């Protein structure tokens, strides 16, 4: 008898990604930092340009040095943040795919002899590969496209509220 697998896609994804919860939390954290960087750097640039416009030219560097350093620091942090995202992905994806393939292979191997007479081995292997690719895509689309963009929208709304509440609305 084959090992029982979760009955829905989301239950399966939850079970299979449980060992990677810290990796996923890291990806979410990177997404949050990306969202903050996306709105904060242009706002800091606005502050720098506003100060350059109103401060006498001989005092510009003295008056804006901390904002400029903060801007450069956030730019560096943004670059490091993307490298951290890649690092987490490189650590997690191959292992996640291998775990999915192993779990599904054991599941398939638990079936009866007649199951293998009715289903071609190449077709079954292809379906296992498709599932491992699909789960990876679902996880990354959920984090990258949905969660990170939701963070970006919230941070942008907050930034707009600071600059101009009317513009935010």
């Amino acid at each position: 008898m084959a090992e029982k697998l979760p009955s829905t896609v989301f239950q399966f994804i939850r079970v299979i990604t449980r060992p990677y919860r810290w990796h996923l939390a890291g990806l979410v954290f990177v997404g949050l930092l990306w969202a903050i960087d996306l709105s904060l750097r242009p706002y800091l640039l606005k502050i720098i340009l506003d100060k350059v416009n109103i401060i006498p030219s001989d005092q510009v560097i003295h008056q804006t040095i901390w904002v400029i350093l903060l801007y450069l620091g956030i730019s560096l942090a943004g670059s490091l943040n993307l490298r951290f995202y890649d690092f987490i992905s490189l650590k997690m994806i191959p292992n996640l795919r291998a775990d999915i393939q192993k779990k599904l292979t054991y599941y398939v191997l638990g079936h009866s002899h007649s199951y293998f007479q009715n289903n071609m081995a190449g077709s079954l292997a292809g379906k296992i590969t498709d599932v491992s690719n699909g789960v990876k895509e679902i996880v990354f689309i959920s984090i990258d496209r949905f969660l990170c963009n939701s963070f970006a929208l919230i941070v942008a709304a907050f930034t707009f509220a600071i600059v101009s509440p009317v513009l935010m609305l």
Side-chain angles (χ1 to χ4, degrees), residues 46-101:
K46 174 214 175 291
I47 291 172
I48 293 168
L49 293 175
D50 286 348
K51 287 189 178 213
V52 166
N53 227 7
I54 60 172
I55 296 173
S57 60
D58 60 335
Q59 296 178 359
V60 168
I61 295 295
H62 180 68
Q63 295 283 331
T64 61
I65 189 70
W66 292 110
V67 180
I68 291 170
L69 290 175
L70 182 60
Y71 180 85
L72 293 174
I74 288 175
S75 297
L76 177 64
S79 179
L80 292 174
N81 191 38
L82 293 176
R83 301 306 175 264
F84 186 58
Y85 179 87
D86 291 341
F87 175 77
I88 293 171
S89 298
L90 288 173
K91 287 291 190 182
M92 183 181 85
I93 294 303
N95 294 330
L96 177 65
R97 290 184 68 199
D99 286 350
I100 292 169
Q101 290 174 353

Side-chain angles (χ1 to χ4, degrees), residues 3-26 92 95-97 99-100 103 135 139 143:
E3 176 189 347
K4 180 133 172 68
L5 290 176
S7 59
T8 67
V9 172
F10 295 110
Q11 288 174 347
F12 178 75
I13 291 172
R14 192 182 76 235
V15 167
I16 204 72
T17 58
R18 188 173 293 138
Y20 302 99
R21 65 181 166 265
W22 291 110
H23 294 90
L24 296 173
M92 183 181 85
N95 294 330
L96 177 65
R97 290 184 68 199
D99 286 350
I100 292 169
K103 187 173 217 47
V135 167
V139 167
I143 292 173

Side-chain angles (χ1 to χ4, degrees), residues 19-35:
Y20 302 99
R21 65 181 166 265
W22 291 110
H23 294 90
L24 296 173
L27 292 176
V28 169
F29 181 71
V30 165
L32 180 61
L33 291 179
W34 169 80

Side-chain angles (χ1 to χ4, degrees), residues 117-135:
Q117 288 179 329
N118 296 328
N119 296 290
M120 293 186 178
S123 172
L124 294 172
K127 289 177 183 178
I128 290 171
T129 301
D130 290 345
V131 169
S132 70
N133 290 333
V135 167

